[in-house]
Amino acid sequence: MDEQTTAWMGLASMHISRLYESGLSETTVTSHVLGMLDQLGRSTIDVILIDAWIAQRQPEKVGTQASEHNRRSTEARRLLGQWATERGLVQMGAGEAQRPAPSVAEGVARQIFGLLSLTGAHEIARRLVDVICVGLDHGTDQIGGADPLTEAQTLFAKDGLSYEYAEEGPDHDKRYTAIARTGGGRSARGEGRSKKAARVAAARALLRNLPPTRRPAARPAKTAPITAPPQPYRNAPPRGHRDALSDLVAMFELDDRLIAGFLAQALTHSSYVYENRTDVAAHHQRDNQLLAHHGSLVLDHLAKHARVGRILAHGLVPDEDEARMHTPANEDTARLGTALALADGMRTGRGEDSQRRSTVADAAQSVAATAWRLHGTRLLRRRPAVLDGWLSELQYQHEPVTALNLLTTLFGMTQHYEYERTGLDHLQTFTSTLVLSDARGRVHRWAVPPEGPSSKSDADKTTAQDVLEVLAAPADDLVDALTVAERDLLRYLLRAQLDGLATTTARQRIRIISGSLLGTDLLATGDLDAFCAWARRVHDLLHAEDDTVPPPLGELYRQIFADTRFGPRSLLRRMAAEQGNDSAGTVRRNAAEVVGSAAARGLWGVTVRDVVQGWWRERAFRTSVTVRDDMRQEPFLPLPAQLAALDETLAWCGEAAEAAGSPIDVELTIQDGTLHTWIGLQGLNTRVACDDFARLLSRTLPHTDCLVDDGHVLLRLHGRLDTESLTPLAVAGIDAYLSGAGAPSPLANAREQEPVAEYRETL
């Protein structure tokens, strides 16, 4: 095991409590990394278990396979958790270690299996499951079964069985102990967070301690061994079916005689089996439901593997939205089936429509299962472009109903849906009316007419998505395209947000930004022109009924910049927490210290020329310096933080030039109210020396851009906004943007009142 893999294994062995205590959380590694490994590990274990099961058994019904898989998964998680504990692999925080719950060890075990999958060690993971979870494939027994209480009660009915209980811990963290005693003198102990959990643990321990001769016989699941494999249809199947099979064979490289029968089964709907039993029996075929269940687990694993690999390749500090993972929904697998052109290849009954979403979705899952049976984990590395594209395009955002509920809750709003049904039973259509109520009790109703047969869930999604699109109109400059009713809805939503906004948490602010609410996404990216345009649209839409900006909104804007510039997950904090001892790590830590200093101190009572001349006097005797001042008389009034940025940039580049023994050239020009400071560094790798510093400076200080190219650094200090007038909303946002390192708004600070007032006069 190399050094990098060892480090990853150390991380995967951590419980979230240990991560927080280690000091690595937020700035170096977020807890979402462990959550992603956990989910990937769960899907890894699932495909290993289902692969082992279908290799030995063939149940008659998909429900049997699903319930047996759930039972085996539950027991496997428990056994893997015990294994992780016994091997000392679980790293917990001090508090969690005093009273460790089984779920902690089970979670860490899943993280380890997720890492094994991510690093290509799937075969090692499979062998571990085989060794640790021995006995899972022999049906439900009295130890691993779902109901050890019944097993124990039946076995000791003659002797008598009783339980004794004890509890300890505070009310919010009770821990129960149960002791099972038999009339024959046997006893066993179990613990849990409830009496029932402790009783079950005690019963299971009692059964486990019995000699094999006393244990009740295992009850095998109602399945049969696999008989003759399915065969392709030989009786001149429709051309669409033949063409689909041919395309899938070429696409997934399924040129295998045994697999051909399963591929035909993947395209066999239950309605065809019902109407053509003789043909189906002659080819040892059945419908695709068992394959679809297997394929749902395969696609879930492929999706999580691709998602985790893609996110962690960009760093170990993903936020909640970046780390979000969903099991592919029916709509997703239906879209895959459409991309694979499976509809025309389906074998369905006369009354079944092969174009129906559920039909195509099941077929897509079945095709994935068939390909997995032949290729296995090869699909993690090499797969058809269609499948790879589908995986990369999966949406990991909340579906519209959940997204709307999360956003409205932030502003003290409530919502519910009312339904109207039309059409015959098999073609019924639901219209969903969303009923919104804001913090002041104002109610608004909104409905979207359906375009065809739909369920209640489909209708809810359609209505919620429509509301979200209307809410996004001001940011997208689509207000003029809204209907009268949509404008009324937008006014209601905007007033509800302004009236219902309260103190927010960091997590809520992330959600507000990701939802593009109240112009926060435009502010967070520093696009002040777009933000001012948004504020003007909102101002006009609300008819300027009240120009007063609610105090919570101004505070929200200030906190957003405090989060993005100096918060725990900001670039500044992450660079400051750089752990590496190499030159790159040292450069990042130094850059964080320098930029943090510039943001905190600012420079007062000096001009741009003062800063440059002071730097030149200090630097000239150590480094060859040339300064060309072309600023002339154009007006430029920098902010104190910008002057500090200029000072630190000159110092950073000067030290780099001195270390390399190269001259340094500086040119100062003002164009359209922006100061351009061009710093030439001959014979120096500017990207290595200055990239991290420039990126951090641009992210942290207002109205500041620092760009690095071969041989030079360009610092741009923007002195004015291209707007004629500012609405109260725009003023609130700009005040927050100009705020210092978590300090009050410049307009609220008497010391900074005059510079900001002069700055506004230049707008």
Side-chain angles (χ1 to χ4, degrees), residues 650-704:
L650 291 171
W652 182 277
C653 293
E655 290 174 3
E658 181 183 358
S662 62
I664 181 168
D665 298 323
V666 178
E667 295 181 8
L668 303 170
T669 58
I670 296 178
Q671 297 177 0
D672 299 326
T674 296
L675 172 66
H676 298 259
T677 305
W678 185 89
I679 305 172
L681 300 167
Q682 301 176 20
L684 180 66
N685 190 333
T686 52
R687 297 190 184 278
V688 172
C690 303
D691 253 349
D692 289 321
F693 169 80
R695 184 163 58 100
L696 183 56
L697 194 69
S698 301
R699 286 273 194 99
T700 307
L701 297 184
H703 281 335
T704 301

Side-chain angles (χ1 to χ4, degrees), residues 487-505:
R487 280 173 171 263
D488 289 341
L489 172 63
L490 181 55
R491 288 191 191 95
Y492 171 82
L493 292 171
L494 290 171
R495 290 194 185 100
Q497 290 176 358
L498 294 174
D499 293 340
L501 182 64
T503 303
T504 57
T505 64

Side-chain angles (χ1 to χ4, degrees), residues 66 73 80 131 136 184 194 220 228 261 271 288 314 347 406 411 586 675 741:
S73 295
L80 292 172
V131 171
L136 286 181
S194 67
S271 61
N288 60 13
H314 291 85
R347 305 213 73 176
L406 290 172
F411 303 98
T586 302
L675 172 66

Side-chain angles (χ1 to χ4, degrees), residues 396-413:
Y396 291 94
Q397 304 300 318
H398 288 301
E399 51 85 22
V401 175
T402 302
L404 182 60
N405 184 58
L406 290 172
L407 296 182
T408 54
T409 301
L410 290 172
F411 303 98
M413 302 174 67

Side-chain angles (χ1 to χ4, degrees), residues 15 82 127 333 417 428 597 601 608 637 642:
H15 181 249
Q82 289 181 352
R127 286 156 55 188
T333 50
Y417 295 87
Q428 64 183 2
S597 173
R601 64 187 177 93
V608 170
L637 185 61
Q642 289 179 306

Side-chain angles (χ1 to χ4, degrees), residues 174-208:
K174 288 287 188 183
R175 192 73 179 179
Y176 294 88
T177 301
I179 299 178
R181 300 186 187 278
T182 70
R186 296 183 180 277
S187 65
R189 180 190 183 93
E191 294 184 351
R193 294 192 178 276
S194 67
K195 283 188 176 181
K196 181 178 179 180
R199 188 166 64 247
V200 169
R204 183 179 285 116
L206 187 65
L207 293 168
R208 187 179 293 111

